Amino acid sequence: MTNFLRTSRPFLAMAGTRAWAGAAATGGARARRVPLLWITALLAAVAAPVATAEVTLTTTVHKVESVLDAGGNVERRLVLVDAVRPGDELRYAITVTNQSPEVVEGGRVVVTNPIPDGTEYLPGTAGGQDASLEFSADGETFTSTPPRDGDGVEQPARFLRWTYDAALQPGASTELFFHVRML
């Protein structure tokens, strides 16, 4: 049994936006803000900063437990993580929040998350409303389907990348998620 849970750190890339990332190992109880990047652009050969919008990422982790309900049916539920064992299923949720008074245009929020060490991605468990999902085995080459080697054999996804396609209104949030199994 492991009492320490290591969270993966998502990467956020946004043109003309100040971005922050946060991580919380259990249920969102703790969040840490770390500046990721600030990109400015040259407009008409004059250096002018692009309007900035602050976007935060908060990662939460829950264990997925299966229990029998009163009718004998299997019910899956999320519980806070206190300890994990090999074979446990975990759900990572990344909440993306626009903290500024500016609208962030669709397609400008791109979140790349490595699959945490000591886990394997569970195919078909990643998603997010209004978000396009891509997979990678190496963190450099992304495709809309799980990665394959030169012989066409499916390889484990080690990185997931979401592009939020809708506009993110001021104060609005969206959730991206994926499940892993502890090795």
Side-chain angles (χ1 to χ4, degrees):
M1 177 170 10
T2 304
N3 288 318
F4 174 76
L5 179 65
R6 191 169 164 185
T7 61
S8 60
R9 294 287 306 272
F11 304 99
L12 176 67
M14 297 176 57
T17 304
R18 178 174 246 175
W20 300 88
T26 58
R30 297 169 300 202
R32 186 173 68 202
R33 289 166 45 115
V34 180
L36 289 180
L37 60 106
W38 183 324
I39 301 174
T40 57
L42 292 176
L43 300 174
V46 176
V50 174
T52 60
E54 184 176 282
V55 173
T56 58
L57 302 178
T58 304
T59 300
T60 56
V61 181
H62 286 90
K63 190 179 335 184
V64 180
E65 287 190 347
S66 297
V67 295
L68 291 177
D69 66 13
N73 300 311
V74 175
E75 177 184 309
R76 290 170 48 92
R77 63 180 173 196
L78 301 176
V79 298
L80 292 177
V81 177
D82 57 357
V84 296
R85 298 170 190 224
D88 283 350
E89 181 178 342
L90 303 177
R91 181 182 193 269
Y92 281 76
I94 304 159
T95 303
V96 180
T97 304
N98 182 356
Q99 300 286 354
S100 78
E102 305 290 328
V103 173
V104 177
E105 296 173 17
R108 295 200 38 215
V109 176
V110 177
V111 178
T112 301
N113 204 111
I115 302 302
D117 291 337
T119 69
E120 64 181 350
Y121 168 68
L122 296 176
T125 63
Q129 187 172 354
D130 296 322
S132 303
L133 177 64
E134 295 177 295
F135 306 88
S136 176
D138 61 9
E140 294 182 23
T141 304
F142 285 85
T143 61
S144 60
T145 58
R148 297 188 176 277
D149 66 12
D151 295 325
V153 176
E154 190 170 309
Q155 299 297 302
R158 295 304 309 155
F159 295 84
L160 302 172
R161 180 169 67 193
W162 296 264
T163 300
Y164 188 64
D165 299 318
L168 191 58
Q169 299 298 318
S173 295
T174 190
E175 183 179 271
L176 311 170
F177 57 88
F178 65 99
H179 291 223
V180 297
R181 183 163 323 281
M182 294 297 299
L183 299 176

